[in-house]
């Protein structure tokens, strides 16, 4: 009788732990998907920043206006 009760309790515990593990795996999967999206977004934003920096540099270099050069203080490349 005692063994049967113990076995049932252990089975319930194991089932509960397996359910908890499955839930945690699902949460981890969701986090991984979110991280992938964030990495892709950050790569796109970095590319946009580089484009903007290049556009500013082009504007400053092609401009004869001292006002634009004063507004944009770009480091001089050697």
């Amino acid at each position: 009788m005692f063994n049967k009760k113990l076995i049932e309790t252990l089975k319930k515990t194991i089932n509960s732990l397996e359910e908890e593990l499955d839930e945690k795996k699902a949460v981890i999967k969701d986090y991984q998907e979110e991280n992938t999206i964030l990495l892709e977004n950050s790569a796109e934003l970095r590319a946009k920043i580089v484009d903007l920096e290049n556009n500013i540099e082009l504007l400053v270099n092609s401009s004869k206006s001292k006002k634009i050069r004063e507004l944009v203080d770009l480091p001089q490349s050697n």
Side-chain angles (χ1 to χ4, degrees):
M1 187 71 149
F2 174 76
N3 285 342
K4 189 174 183 181
K5 192 87 164 166
L6 179 62
I7 291 171
E8 287 176 17
T9 304
L10 289 173
K11 283 182 179 180
K12 287 179 184 177
T13 302
I14 290 169
N15 289 337
S16 174
L17 289 171
E18 286 176 342
E19 288 175 11
E20 185 179 335
L21 179 62
D22 289 342
E23 291 171 4
K24 291 186 180 200
K25 283 181 180 180
V27 169
I28 290 171
K29 184 180 178 185
D30 288 344
Y31 282 145
Q32 287 173 332
E33 290 171 0
E34 289 177 17
N35 286 339
T36 300
I37 292 168
L38 290 172
L39 285 172
E40 290 170 358
N41 289 345
S42 68
E44 290 173 12
L45 291 173
R46 283 189 185 103
K48 287 180 181 181
I49 289 170
V50 169
D51 287 343
L52 290 171
E53 289 172 341
N54 291 338
N55 290 341
I56 291 170
E57 187 175 358
L58 181 64
L59 175 67
V60 170
N61 290 338
S62 65
S63 174
K64 294 180 182 178
S65 170
K66 289 183 181 180
K67 184 74 173 174
I68 291 177
R69 290 176 185 263
E70 289 172 3
L71 290 173
V72 181
D73 184 19
L74 293 175
Q76 298 295 322
S77 58
N78 295 340

